[in-house]
Each structure stands twice: as C-alpha cells, then as structure tokens.
Amino acid sequence: MKKVIYLSLLLVFIVSCNTKDKSSEALQFEQKEFVQSSDNCIADECTTIKLSLPVMTNEDHEIAAKINQHLVSEIDNIVAVDDTTATSASLAELTQNYIQNYNAFVAKYPDETLAWKAEVEGDITFYNADLLSISLEYYTFAGGAYGFKSEKALNFNPKTGDLYQVEDLIGNWEELQKLMALQLKDKM
C-alpha cells in the first residue's frame, strides 16, 4: 500500500513540474519576413508586399499570441486600401489578402495599371519586464502621385499583451506639458 501512495505522489509531482504557467515565460522573438508579389506585372512592375517583423515565437503562449495578433491588426490597418479589407488572422494571410485585393481592384478597373507596394519594417526598440516597444516604419503606394511613408510605435505590456495608452506611459502629464512649453519657448 505504501508503494502505491509513493508512486501516486511521485506521479503528481512529475505532472505538476511539467505543467508550468507558460504566460510567465519570457517572450521569445524572431525577425521574420513575409513577401508576396502579384503575377500580373506590367513593364516589370509588380504589386509587392514585404513585411519584416519581430514575431513572438513562444508556442501556446497566450500573451505572445495576443501581441502577434495586435501586430497583424495594426499592419492590416496600415496596408488596407479601404475599411473592409483589414481582416487578416495572420501575417501570411495578410500578404495574400493584399495581393488578392489588388487583383480584385484591377479586375474591377482594368485601365488602372499602376502596381501597388507595401513595405513594413519592424524592430524591437526596448524590452524589459514592464515594457515592450516595437517601432514600425512603413511605406505604402496604391496609386496616385506618390506613396505614403510613416512611422509608428507600439508599446505593449509584456505581462498582459495589451497595448499601452499614452496616459499609461506618462505619469505626470501636466509636468510634461510645462516642460515642453519651456523647451518650445527657448527655441523661439
């Protein structure tokens, strides 16, 4: 009988050691590229989307998945050509959707032959237990006289996977405004 109890306790101990909380693990990143081009190129100009981003690679990690989904949603909004096209579930799907949207546009407007382009480069600029900052530099062109280039910073709480709001990051807003006003006044 004692052997059964000892074996049961040993089994419980082994199982409990293997079922650790994955959300407390440190986030793991890998810079990944997602590139796709259209088949219907005109004069060697192809519609192309190129993404180079830090992707969280932790398997079955709830927070990593949440941050990855925030990235997908943010980039979907950057490269979307209208309000209905930003619905991708992954970065690979996002690149496919971008090309499909271009092909649908060309099918609807065959005289519009300019190739679209979307490039998004992401880098981790800061990471500790309380803050994960990812900068995005991007360029999009979907016709017109010129494209659009911009930058965006995404600040995450690595404990929850939520995006911080500006108010969460600046403790004393009034003091910052005074300091900014003094700096501007000195420059004028």
Side-chain angles (χ1 to χ4, degrees):
M1 183 67 169
K2 283 186 178 181
K3 287 183 181 181
V4 172
I5 293 173
Y6 287 128
L7 285 172
S8 298
L9 287 173
L10 182 63
L11 181 62
V12 168
F13 178 72
I14 290 171
V15 169
S16 67
C17 287
N18 288 333
T19 57
K20 63 181 177 179
D21 180 17
K22 290 188 179 246
S23 66
S24 64
E25 291 178 10
L27 296 172
Q28 298 170 0
F29 314 96
E30 183 179 325
Q31 194 75 13
K32 292 192 176 182
E33 287 204 5
F34 301 85
V35 180
Q36 193 157 353
S37 296
S38 65
D39 293 334
N40 53 346
C41 305
I42 300 166
D44 294 332
E45 286 290 320
C46 302
T47 291
T48 305
I49 181 168
K50 179 181 179 185
L51 310 175
S52 178
L53 302 161
V55 177
M56 309 312 125
T57 58
N58 303 57
E59 293 288 327
D60 301 324
H61 193 289
E62 182 180 315
I63 294 168
K66 193 173 184 179
I67 291 171
N68 283 339
Q69 195 52 52
H70 277 299
L71 276 173
V72 170
S73 177
E74 200 63 47
I75 294 166
D76 229 349
N77 287 327
I78 288 170
V79 303
V81 291
D82 60 35
D83 292 339
T84 61
T85 57
T87 59
S88 304
S90 70
L91 293 168
E93 182 182 323
L94 189 151
T95 58
Q96 292 171 353
N97 288 346
Y98 184 81
I99 300 300
Q100 288 173 357
N101 289 336
Y102 172 76
N103 291 337
F105 179 81
V106 170
K108 188 173 182 179
Y109 304 102
D111 293 337
E112 298 296 325
T113 58
L114 286 175
W116 292 356
K117 180 180 268 194
E119 295 178 357
V120 181
E121 175 87 26
D123 291 303
I124 295 173
T125 56
F126 187 82
Y127 176 49
N128 70 13
D130 298 315
L131 177 65
L132 166 64
S133 292
I134 298 175
S135 71
L136 300 176
E137 289 186 31
Y138 57 93
Y139 173 80
T140 59
F141 178 80
Y146 51 87
F148 180 74
K149 183 177 176 112
S150 190
E151 296 178 24
K152 186 167 198 165
L154 302 175
N155 296 299
F156 294 96
N157 179 337
K159 295 174 184 169
T160 65
D162 294 328
L163 277 169
Y164 279 119
Q165 301 301 313
V166 173
E167 297 80 25
D168 300 328
L169 298 171
I170 299 173
N172 191 339
W173 187 253
E174 291 79 23
E175 196 62 34
L176 178 63
Q177 287 177 321
K178 289 177 189 174
L179 180 63
M180 290 171 40
L182 285 173
Q183 291 292 322
L184 288 173
K185 197 174 192 179
D186 288 344
K187 301 281 182 199
M188 297 174 108

